[in-house]
Amino acid sequence: MEESEAQRVKREVLGIGDRRKHHTRTATPLKAHAKEPDTHHRVYRFRFYPTEEQAERLERTFGAAVNLRDEGMRLYWLEAISKAKSAML
């Protein structure tokens, strides 16, 4: 199979490798979730391949988001506990 110009540019200029293995899988049909007649749902599936720098930044970002969530939950429960204690007194 001959390589197209777009594939050559992706490989040589952009450094994006050939990902044919993902296109060899057979598509599985989606289950119908429409509750009402003439209602349609669309599903979009995306896959991305970050560079090492992007992967590090994503890890830091998600790590910060988890820490922020945990701190928020800690403050929420501390406030709930103090309100419960003051209500019992």
Side-chain angles (χ1 to χ4, degrees):
M1 185 171 183
E2 189 174 318
E3 182 178 51
S4 71
E5 180 68 15
Q7 290 171 329
R8 185 191 64 76
V9 168
K10 280 183 180 179
R11 183 177 43 79
E12 293 178 2
V13 179
L14 301 176
I16 300 173
D18 186 24
R19 295 196 174 88
R20 293 182 192 274
K21 65 179 182 178
H22 300 297
H23 299 289
T24 58
R25 294 186 202 147
T26 58
T28 57
L30 297 174
K31 296 179 183 176
H33 293 287
K35 303 287 185 198
E36 301 171 15
D38 298 328
T39 303
H40 301 282
H41 294 265
R42 287 194 179 159
V43 175
Y44 296 96
R45 296 180 183 172
F46 297 95
R47 183 182 298 230
F48 83 107
Y49 303 90
T51 63
E52 287 184 26
E53 179 184 343
Q54 290 170 333
E56 290 172 10
R57 292 184 89 179
L58 286 169
E59 287 177 19
R60 284 196 314 262
T61 300
F62 292 139
V66 167
N67 289 336
L68 182 63
R69 183 208 59 205
D70 291 347
E71 183 66 16
M73 291 300 292
R74 186 183 72 78
L75 292 173
Y76 171 81
W77 284 110
L78 285 175
E79 183 179 340
I81 289 170
S82 68
K83 283 183 180 178
K85 283 181 180 178
S86 64
M88 289 198 294
L89 295 176

